[in-house]
Amino acid sequence: MPAAARDARVSSSPAVAANAEGDEIEVLESSDVLPAAPEDQWKSLFDKYDPESSGFISTERFRDLLAAHGSELDPHKLEVLLALADGNADGKICYQDFVNLMSNKRSNSFRRAILQGGRQLKGAALREEVGLGLSQRLVRHIAYETLPREIDRKWYFDSYTCCPPPWLILAFTIAEVAVFVYYGMQLDRWVLQVSDPQFLKGPLPYHPQLRSQAWRYLSYVFMHAGIEHLGLNMAMQLLVGVPLEMVHGAVRIGLVYVCGVLAGSLAVSVTDMTAPVVGSSGGVYALVSAHLANVVMNWSGMKCQFKLFRMAMALVCMSVEFGRAVWLRFYPPAFPPCPNPSFVAHLGGVAVGLTLGVVVLHNYEQRLQEQSLFWIFFCVYMLFVLCAVFWNVFAYGLLDVKLPPSP
């Protein structure tokens, strides 16, 4: 398909078509089918082809409707819609399916109608598209890296406009680098900054003596133990987080990232009660583990190149960073009796990624509020947060935990 035609398709909102198995669905623009109209106009148009007021129009009349607007349609799209009409199992189309088709509502009922009507229509895979520009090839590459179904890859490819851009992960990364550079210049130390006695004196790190300052359960994400810590986290954050944000949006990715960060500090406060916390590992591990779990669960559908090698490399990077954190935790602290930062935040991030994160990334187009499993994991997560808050309020005193002095 020529690049100009593809550009035109990216600029508008999508409708659909399906292949022989009803699994690979090509995205079309509903705005090319008919001009956008309020529901009363859809009703008027439907009634015109349903003079008996039966609530259905026959596929023959639907073909007449398409023929009346055929000059407004791309020939390929007209072919798709005609295939949908011809393939309807009961020979008629109800009003709701008609509205879904014309208004581009990708609902479950509309998807069922598409699967029924488009089985005999064969479409080329997105990977076979030619004449694409550099940015379009990048979007296509990201679609194959992150989405397991051709229906979602094509839907995403045709609808992605880079507006808004993937700003959230980039903003987190820039802020983390800026804070690291600031402390590097202030402490005159770039490797193992945590070994400097002044490192934990700022307002950002989580420290058990300062756990009543609630912002520290999140703000610790901007502090890193050294350039080796920042480098590994930043690499995973950019290589995995930015493509995920481009596909799933800032809201979903931000939810997983922030939940991982909060779970990390709370997990430390419950299981490693005397240790401080720094670094973005909780959020990074939530994103990476959710993505890797999504790849494993949809292994046959994932079409990314060298997926086994890349998954192995991601696990190696995570293991190296986690091993560094474990070694540092038990390394003799620079200012005893305060221990070095805990590694448990990594495990909290992984737990969030394998539960809440997997659900958030599992279904590309279904709204989160429509997913019962999302609410189950979200409620479990909130229950953990509530229990951890009560633990921080009461358990330290009841257990008579001897905390290190304030930094």
Side-chain angles (χ1 to χ4, degrees):
M1 178 178 296
R6 173 61 63 191
D7 289 336
R9 295 174 65 186
V10 174
S11 63
S12 59
S13 60
V16 243
N19 76 343
E21 289 72 29
D23 182 45
E24 298 184 359
I25 295 184
E26 181 178 354
V27 183
L28 308 172
E29 308 89 334
S30 61
S31 59
D32 287 341
V33 176
L34 283 175
E39 186 154 340
D40 57 345
Q41 293 186 15
W42 292 134
K43 190 68 170 70
S44 299
L45 184 59
F46 185 85
D47 290 342
K48 179 181 177 181
Y49 290 87
D50 180 28
E52 301 87 1
S53 299
S54 64
F56 297 90
I57 60 175
S58 67
T59 54
E60 290 79 9
R61 287 178 176 172
F62 184 63
R63 288 173 62 86
D64 293 339
L65 185 153
L66 293 176
H69 296 273
S71 60
E72 305 171 20
L73 295 174
D74 180 278
H76 173 66
K77 299 170 188 177
L78 180 60
E79 175 191 350
V80 167
L81 295 177
L82 290 176
L84 174 60
D86 285 337
N88 197 301
D90 55 6
K92 55 188 179 180
I93 297 173
C94 71
Y95 174 68
Q96 188 58 56
D97 285 342
F98 175 80
V99 171
N100 286 339
L101 176 62
M102 297 307 179
S103 61
N104 183 36
K105 292 182 179 178
R106 196 175 177 214
S107 64
N108 289 334
S109 62
F110 183 40
R111 176 176 289 179
R112 285 194 297 270
I114 291 298
L115 295 180
Q116 289 176 357
R119 292 187 183 278
Q120 77 274 27
L121 184 67
K122 296 183 179 181
L126 177 59
R127 194 183 296 278
E128 298 174 11
E129 296 277 2
V130 295
L132 303 181
L134 180 61
S135 61
Q136 292 171 313
R137 290 199 298 270
L138 175 62
V139 172
R140 180 176 64 179
H141 173 76
I142 290 174
Y144 275 95
E145 289 293 311
T146 56
L147 295 172
R149 297 186 301 173
E150 189 73 9
I151 169 179
D152 289 331
R153 288 192 283 261
K154 289 185 174 182
W155 182 273
Y156 165 71
F157 178 72
D158 277 20
S159 61
Y160 183 72
T161 61
C162 198
C163 185
W167 59 271
L168 182 67
I169 295 298
L170 292 176
F172 270 111
T173 304
I174 292 171
E176 291 162 11
V177 171
V179 171
F180 175 79
V181 171
Y182 170 79
Y183 276 94
M185 297 177 64
Q186 185 183 64
L187 304 176
D188 193 25
R189 182 184 292 272
W190 303 92
V191 177
L192 287 177
Q193 288 183 350
V194 69
S195 62
D196 191 293
Q198 301 296 317
F199 180 76
L200 295 177
K201 289 187 178 293
L204 298 179
Y206 167 84
H207 192 281
Q209 281 283 17
L210 304 174
R211 65 187 186 280
S212 61
Q213 299 176 359
W215 72 84
R216 292 180 180 268
Y217 290 92
L218 295 173
S219 64
Y220 78 91
V221 71
F222 299 108
M223 297 286 290
H224 286 81
I227 194 169
E228 72 290 343
H229 187 199
L230 175 69
L232 286 169
N233 276 345
M234 189 171 64
M236 291 188 289
Q237 188 165 282
L238 292 175
L239 291 176
V240 176
V242 171
L244 289 179
E245 185 181 349
M246 290 177 66
V247 172
H248 296 282
V251 173
R252 291 191 181 211
I253 298 307
L255 175 66
V256 176
Y257 190 87
V258 172
C259 285
V261 170
L262 181 58
S265 56
L266 289 175
V268 171
S269 70
V270 171
T271 63
D272 198 2
M273 300 168 68
T274 62
V277 190
V278 295
S280 60
S281 298
V284 171
Y285 275 54
L287 291 179
V288 175
S289 59
H291 175 59
L292 294 183
N294 197 37
V295 171
V296 171
M297 290 191 302
N298 301 280
W299 188 261
S300 60
M302 299 300 296
K303 304 299 182 183
C304 50
Q305 293 181 326
F306 310 111
K307 57 184 177 182
L308 185 60
F309 172 77
R310 298 173 71 168
M311 186 171 182
M313 289 303 298
L315 292 174
V316 167
C317 290
M318 293 176 68
S319 300
V320 168
E321 208 281 321
F322 181 72
R324 180 212 58 82
V326 173
W327 169 82
L328 181 62
R329 172 65 179 86
F330 297 106
Y331 187 79
F335 39 101
C338 183
N340 286 326
S342 177
F343 60 87
V344 178
H346 299 68
L347 304 179
V350 170
V352 169
L354 295 180
T355 52
L356 187 65
V358 168
V359 177
V360 170
L361 303 187
H362 175 64
N363 197 323
Y364 158 66
E365 63 91 21
Q366 187 180 5
R367 296 176 181 176
L368 291 179
Q369 58 265 32
E370 297 174 353
Q371 301 184 49
S372 57
L373 196 59
F374 167 77
W375 288 110
I376 293 174
F377 282 130
F378 186 75
C379 290
V380 170
Y381 175 81
M382 294 307 299
L383 180 62
F384 160 72
V385 171
L386 185 62
C387 291
V389 169
F390 276 98
W391 180 274
N392 276 271
V393 172
F394 299 108
Y396 281 75
L398 292 175
L399 297 176
D400 194 24
V401 179
K402 296 182 179 179
L403 296 177
S406 298

